[in-house]
Amino acid sequence: MTQPTTNAARATGLLLAAGGGRRLGGRPKALLPHRGRPLVENAVRVLREGGCGTVYVVLGAAAEEVRARADLAGCVLIDNPDWSEGMGSSLRAGLEALGKAAAAGGRDGGARAALVSLVDQPGIGAEAVARVLAAHRSGDSLAAASYDGKRGHPVLFGAERWADIAASATGDRGARAYLKAHEAEIALVECGDVAEPYDIDTEADLSRLQ
Protein backbone atom coordinates (compact mmCIF):
# COMPACT_ATOMS: atom_id res chain seq x y z
CA MET A 1 0.00 0.00 0.00
CA THR A 2 1.28 3.46 -0.88
CA GLN A 3 1.87 5.46 2.29
CA PRO A 4 0.52 9.02 2.64
CA THR A 5 2.99 11.86 2.51
CA THR A 6 2.89 14.87 4.83
CA ASN A 7 1.27 16.97 2.11
CA ALA A 8 -1.21 14.26 1.21
CA ALA A 9 -2.38 13.87 4.79
CA ARG A 10 -4.26 17.16 4.50
CA ALA A 11 -5.79 16.33 1.13
CA THR A 12 -9.30 14.97 0.76
CA GLY A 13 -10.29 12.62 -2.03
CA LEU A 14 -13.27 13.79 -4.08
CA LEU A 15 -14.76 10.99 -6.16
CA LEU A 16 -17.30 11.89 -8.83
CA ALA A 17 -19.59 8.84 -9.07
CA ALA A 18 -22.97 10.22 -10.08
CA GLY A 19 -23.12 9.24 -13.74
CA GLY A 20 -26.11 7.33 -15.08
CA GLY A 21 -24.27 5.43 -17.82
CA ARG A 22 -26.45 6.70 -20.67
CA ARG A 23 -24.31 4.96 -23.29
CA LEU A 24 -24.32 1.81 -21.16
CA GLY A 25 -28.08 1.38 -21.33
CA GLY A 26 -28.71 3.45 -18.23
CA ARG A 27 -26.55 1.38 -15.89
CA PRO A 28 -25.09 3.66 -13.17
CA LYS A 29 -21.32 3.59 -13.45
CA ALA A 30 -20.82 3.36 -9.69
CA LEU A 31 -22.51 -0.06 -9.71
CA LEU A 32 -20.71 -1.63 -12.67
CA PRO A 33 -19.14 -4.91 -11.49
CA HIS A 34 -15.36 -4.91 -11.11
CA ARG A 35 -13.46 -7.71 -9.39
CA GLY A 36 -16.70 -8.95 -7.93
CA ARG A 37 -17.72 -5.65 -6.33
CA PRO A 38 -19.27 -2.33 -7.43
CA LEU A 39 -16.82 -0.14 -9.35
CA VAL A 40 -17.20 2.70 -6.84
CA GLU A 41 -15.51 0.59 -4.16
CA ASN A 42 -12.40 0.23 -6.33
CA ALA A 43 -12.23 4.00 -6.85
CA VAL A 44 -12.51 4.68 -3.11
CA ARG A 45 -9.81 2.12 -2.33
CA VAL A 46 -7.45 3.71 -4.86
CA LEU A 47 -7.86 7.14 -3.28
CA ARG A 48 -7.23 5.79 0.20
CA GLU A 49 -4.22 3.71 -0.81
CA GLY A 50 -2.85 6.71 -2.70
CA GLY A 51 -2.85 8.78 0.47
CA CYS A 52 -6.17 10.62 0.81
CA GLY A 53 -7.18 10.86 4.45
CA THR A 54 -10.92 11.24 3.86
CA VAL A 55 -12.91 10.44 0.74
CA TYR A 56 -16.01 12.36 -0.34
CA VAL A 57 -18.18 10.49 -2.85
CA VAL A 58 -20.70 12.38 -4.98
CA LEU A 59 -23.67 10.15 -5.85
CA GLY A 60 -26.47 10.79 -8.31
CA ALA A 61 -28.00 8.09 -10.50
CA ALA A 62 -29.48 5.30 -8.36
CA ALA A 63 -27.96 6.89 -5.27
CA GLU A 64 -30.01 4.82 -2.84
CA GLU A 65 -29.09 1.59 -4.61
CA VAL A 66 -25.42 2.55 -4.51
CA ARG A 67 -25.68 3.24 -0.79
CA ALA A 68 -27.33 -0.15 -0.26
CA ARG A 69 -25.03 -2.28 -2.42
CA ALA A 70 -21.59 -0.66 -2.09
CA ASP A 71 -19.42 -0.66 1.00
CA LEU A 72 -18.66 3.03 1.45
CA ALA A 73 -17.99 2.95 5.17
CA GLY A 74 -15.96 5.91 6.33
CA CYS A 75 -16.75 7.99 3.24
CA VAL A 76 -18.65 11.26 3.25
CA LEU A 77 -21.55 10.74 0.83
CA ILE A 78 -22.91 13.73 -1.09
CA ASP A 79 -26.17 13.47 -3.04
CA ASN A 80 -26.30 15.48 -6.26
CA PRO A 81 -29.93 15.84 -7.34
CA ASP A 82 -28.77 17.63 -10.50
CA TRP A 83 -26.48 14.80 -11.66
CA SER A 84 -28.22 14.57 -15.05
CA GLU A 85 -26.89 18.06 -15.90
CA GLY A 86 -23.40 16.60 -16.19
CA MET A 87 -20.13 16.24 -14.32
CA GLY A 88 -19.94 19.96 -13.57
CA SER A 89 -22.85 19.72 -11.15
CA SER A 90 -21.15 16.88 -9.25
CA LEU A 91 -17.90 18.81 -9.02
CA ARG A 92 -19.81 21.82 -7.67
CA ALA A 93 -21.65 19.68 -5.12
CA GLY A 94 -18.43 18.10 -3.88
CA LEU A 95 -16.40 21.30 -3.63
CA GLU A 96 -19.26 23.14 -1.95
CA ALA A 97 -19.54 20.35 0.65
CA LEU A 98 -15.80 20.54 1.29
CA GLY A 99 -15.99 24.31 1.59
CA LYS A 100 -18.80 24.09 4.13
CA ALA A 101 -16.88 21.55 6.18
CA ALA A 102 -13.82 23.80 6.18
CA ALA A 103 -15.88 26.84 7.21
CA ALA A 104 -17.48 24.88 10.04
CA GLY A 105 -14.13 23.58 11.24
CA GLY A 106 -15.55 20.07 11.36
CA ARG A 107 -14.24 16.68 10.34
CA ASP A 108 -12.53 17.95 7.20
CA GLY A 109 -11.91 21.50 8.28
CA GLY A 110 -8.18 20.86 8.02
CA ALA A 111 -8.26 19.82 4.37
CA ARG A 112 -6.06 22.07 2.26
CA ALA A 113 -6.61 20.36 -1.09
CA ALA A 114 -9.07 18.15 -2.94
CA LEU A 115 -7.83 15.30 -5.14
CA VAL A 116 -10.56 14.81 -7.77
CA SER A 117 -10.99 11.47 -9.53
CA LEU A 118 -13.66 9.82 -11.69
CA VAL A 119 -15.37 6.54 -10.85
CA ASP A 120 -15.10 5.17 -14.40
CA GLN A 121 -11.30 5.18 -14.74
CA PRO A 122 -10.18 1.88 -13.15
CA GLY A 123 -6.88 2.00 -15.04
CA ILE A 124 -5.72 4.79 -12.72
CA GLY A 125 -4.35 3.35 -9.50
CA ALA A 126 -2.90 4.41 -6.18
CA GLU A 127 0.56 5.24 -7.57
CA ALA A 128 -0.86 7.96 -9.84
CA VAL A 129 -2.88 9.36 -6.94
CA ALA A 130 0.20 9.46 -4.73
CA ARG A 131 2.25 11.23 -7.39
CA VAL A 132 -0.33 13.98 -7.87
CA LEU A 133 -0.79 14.39 -4.12
CA ALA A 134 2.94 14.90 -3.78
CA ALA A 135 2.59 18.03 -5.94
CA HIS A 136 0.50 19.69 -3.20
CA ARG A 137 2.44 22.68 -1.90
CA SER A 138 -0.04 25.27 -0.64
CA GLY A 139 -3.65 26.43 -0.59
CA ASP A 140 -3.47 27.60 -4.18
CA SER A 141 -1.84 24.45 -5.56
CA LEU A 142 -3.07 23.25 -8.94
CA ALA A 143 -1.78 19.93 -10.25
CA ALA A 144 -2.89 17.19 -12.62
CA ALA A 145 -1.75 13.81 -13.85
CA SER A 146 -0.49 13.79 -17.40
CA TYR A 147 -0.21 10.95 -19.87
CA ASP A 148 2.48 11.43 -22.51
CA GLY A 149 2.17 15.15 -21.82
CA LYS A 150 -1.65 15.26 -22.08
CA ARG A 151 -3.50 16.45 -18.97
CA GLY A 152 -5.89 13.99 -17.34
CA HIS A 153 -7.10 12.77 -13.94
CA PRO A 154 -6.66 12.82 -11.05
CA VAL A 155 -6.52 16.58 -10.54
CA LEU A 156 -5.56 18.39 -7.34
CA PHE A 157 -7.16 21.70 -6.33
CA GLY A 158 -5.83 23.74 -3.41
CA ALA A 159 -8.58 24.95 -1.07
CA GLU A 160 -8.13 28.58 -2.08
CA ARG A 161 -9.32 27.65 -5.57
CA TRP A 162 -12.43 25.66 -4.65
CA ALA A 163 -14.97 28.49 -4.82
CA ASP A 164 -13.80 29.76 -8.21
CA ILE A 165 -13.67 26.26 -9.69
CA ALA A 166 -17.17 25.44 -8.41
CA ALA A 167 -18.48 28.69 -9.91
CA SER A 168 -17.04 27.80 -13.32
CA ALA A 169 -18.14 24.14 -13.42
CA THR A 170 -21.02 23.62 -15.85
CA GLY A 171 -22.41 20.79 -17.97
CA ASP A 172 -20.10 17.89 -18.76
CA ARG A 173 -17.00 20.06 -18.87
CA GLY A 174 -16.31 19.94 -15.15
CA ALA A 175 -13.27 22.09 -14.39
CA ARG A 176 -12.03 22.24 -17.99
CA ALA A 177 -12.79 25.94 -18.46
CA TYR A 178 -10.99 26.84 -15.23
CA LEU A 179 -8.02 24.64 -16.04
CA LYS A 180 -7.72 26.13 -19.51
CA ALA A 181 -7.76 29.65 -18.09
CA HIS A 182 -5.05 28.72 -15.55
CA GLU A 183 -3.04 26.36 -17.72
CA ALA A 184 0.26 28.05 -16.99
CA GLU A 185 -0.22 27.44 -13.26
CA ILE A 186 -0.83 23.68 -13.47
CA ALA A 187 1.92 21.36 -12.27
CA LEU A 188 1.73 18.40 -14.63
CA VAL A 189 2.74 15.09 -13.10
CA GLU A 190 3.59 12.36 -15.61
CA CYS A 191 1.77 9.13 -14.77
CA GLY A 192 1.77 7.33 -18.11
CA ASP A 193 4.21 4.75 -16.81
CA VAL A 194 1.94 3.66 -13.94
CA ALA A 195 -1.64 4.25 -15.14
CA GLU A 196 -3.98 4.15 -18.13
CA PRO A 197 -6.57 6.96 -18.32
CA TYR A 198 -9.31 5.17 -20.27
CA ASP A 199 -13.00 5.70 -19.42
CA ILE A 200 -15.76 3.11 -19.15
CA ASP A 201 -18.28 4.81 -21.42
CA THR A 202 -19.63 2.23 -23.87
CA GLU A 203 -20.54 -1.46 -24.02
CA ALA A 204 -17.20 -2.16 -25.70
CA ASP A 205 -15.37 -0.59 -22.77
CA LEU A 206 -16.89 -3.10 -20.34
CA SER A 207 -14.30 -5.65 -21.49
CA ARG A 208 -11.75 -3.64 -19.48
CA LEU A 209 -13.54 -4.51 -16.25
CA GLN A 210 -12.67 -7.80 -14.60
Side-chain angles (χ1 to χ4, degrees), residues 39 58 101 130 184 186 195 197 201 207:
L39 187 58
V58 182
I186 303 171
D201 280 335
S207 64

Side-chain angles (χ1 to χ4, degrees), residues 21 38 41 75 102 109 113 144-145 151 153 165 184 201:
E41 290 184 14
C75 295
R151 190 182 73 242
H153 284 87
I165 293 169
D201 280 335

Side-chain angles (χ1 to χ4, degrees), residues 177-199:
Y178 183 91
L179 291 172
K180 184 176 180 179
H182 297 267
E183 190 168 5
E185 302 164 49
I186 303 171
L188 291 179
V189 182
E190 182 57 44
C191 293
D193 59 321
V194 295
E196 296 181 82
Y198 58 80
D199 300 321

Side-chain angles (χ1 to χ4, degrees), residues 137-149:
R137 296 288 181 269
S138 65
D140 68 347
S141 286
L142 190 60
S146 65
Y147 301 90
D148 296 326

Side-chain angles (χ1 to χ4, degrees), residues 41-118:
E41 290 184 14
N42 173 76
V44 168
R45 176 184 56 78
V46 164
L47 287 171
R48 286 176 171 158
E49 292 184 358
C52 293
T54 304
V55 177
Y56 277 50
V57 182
V58 182
L59 301 176
E64 289 306 312
E65 186 178 358
V66 175
R67 288 172 182 268
R69 291 177 51 190
D71 181 2
L72 300 175
C75 295
V76 178
L77 305 182
I78 308 299
D79 286 315
N80 174 21
D82 302 318
W83 64 268
S84 62
E85 295 178 5
M87 184 170 58
S89 65
S90 291
L91 181 59
R92 285 198 310 273
L95 291 176
E96 287 170 1
L98 277 169
K100 288 177 181 177
R107 173 179 176 181
D108 302 297
R112 292 292 177 265
L115 192 288
V116 181
S117 68
L118 309 180

